[in-house]
Amino acid sequence: MIPAQDRVRRHQHQAAAPAIPVRLAARPVIGGLAAPWISVHHADGTPVLGAVDAARQALCLARHWCQACGQPLRSPLVLLARARDIAAGYVTEPGLHPECAAYSAAACPMLSGSMRRYRSAPRPPRQDRCGLPECACRAWIPAADSTHRSGHAREAFAAVWIRLGDYRLKEDARTGMPAGVLLSGIRVLKIRPLASSCPR
C-alpha cells in the first residue's frame, strides 16, 4: 500500500509532467516521463532515468540517431550545449529531433530548472539494482563526470540548431570512438538559450 502523502506527491508530479510527443510515445514511461533511448536499461527493458548508457550514446553518435527516441535524425536537428561545450567546440551528447529537444527541455530536471544543483553525492548503487541475475546492473558504476558535477549548480543550456549535413563527429584520439558532435567549423542555423536554463 502506497502512503497517502506519496500518492499525492506522485499524482502532482505526473500532473505537472509535460505532454509526451508522438515521436516518444513508444518509449517507456517512468513517473509520467518518457525515458530517453540512451538511458541505461535493465535486462527486462526497464530504463533508469538520469543514467546514460555509454554504449547506446556511442551508437546514437555513430549512426546519427536521436538520443531521446532512438530514431534517425533529419534536418534540422538540435544539439543541447553549455557555454563550456561551445568553448570546447563540441558537445558530448547526441543530437535530438526538435520535438524531442523541446520535450527534454521541459522534462529533464536540470534543463527545466526544477533542480538547481546536481546531487551532492552519486545515487546509491543499490537504488538501481533490479535483482535479476542476468542483468548487468550489479556492475554499473556512476558516470565519470558525476563526481565533477556533484553539488555544483546547474549550467545554462542553449539549443543549437544545425542541418544533418553538418552533423560531424569528434573522435576520441585514444580510442577512435565518437566523443561527441562538433560545434566548430560548421554552419549553425540558430542558437536559442533555453528559457528554463537562464540564471534567475
Side-chain angles (χ1 to χ4, degrees):
M1 178 70 93
I2 301 173
Q5 284 184 324
D6 289 347
R7 288 201 303 270
V8 170
R9 288 194 196 100
R10 182 176 296 180
H11 175 73
Q12 289 173 338
H13 176 72
Q14 291 181 349
I20 298 173
V22 173
R23 190 177 287 279
L24 291 168
R27 296 296 309 143
V29 176
I30 307 293
L33 301 176
W37 191 86
I38 62 168
S39 295
V40 168
H41 287 66
H42 289 285
D44 66 358
T46 302
V48 178
L49 291 177
V52 173
D53 184 320
R56 284 183 174 234
Q57 179 169 329
L59 196 60
C60 279
L61 288 168
R63 297 190 179 178
H64 298 183
W65 290 349
C66 173
Q67 64 165 293
C69 67
Q71 299 172 30
L73 291 166
R74 63 186 184 198
S75 294
L77 61 97
V78 178
L79 302 171
L80 298 179
R82 300 159 296 189
R84 61 187 170 108
D85 298 323
I86 295 173
Y90 74 101
V91 295
T92 58
E93 292 196 1
L96 303 107
H97 297 104
E99 61 269 40
C100 293
Y103 177 78
S104 297
C108 172
M110 297 310 296
L111 295 176
S112 69
S114 61
M115 283 180 64
R116 299 290 184 92
R117 306 186 76 83
Y118 289 99
R119 292 183 182 91
S120 58
R123 182 166 47 199
R126 65 180 179 278
Q127 290 186 7
D128 297 330
R129 303 299 186 253
C130 69
L132 294 174
E134 68 273 21
C135 189
C137 64
R138 288 173 294 174
W140 290 349
I141 59 174
D145 62 347
S146 63
T147 302
H148 169 75
R149 294 192 313 249
S150 293
H152 289 113
R154 65 187 177 91
E155 299 174 83
F157 280 80
V160 180
W161 292 64
I162 67 171
R163 297 188 187 281
L164 185 59
D166 286 316
Y167 194 85
R168 300 173 189 166
L169 301 182
K170 174 180 174 60
E171 289 188 354
D172 185 311
R174 294 171 301 168
T175 65
M177 297 294 291
V181 183
L182 289 171
L183 293 172
S184 58
I186 65 169
R187 181 187 173 198
V188 173
L189 300 178
K190 60 183 175 180
I191 299 179
R192 296 288 184 270
L194 297 186
S196 56
S197 288
C198 293
R200 296 179 182 178

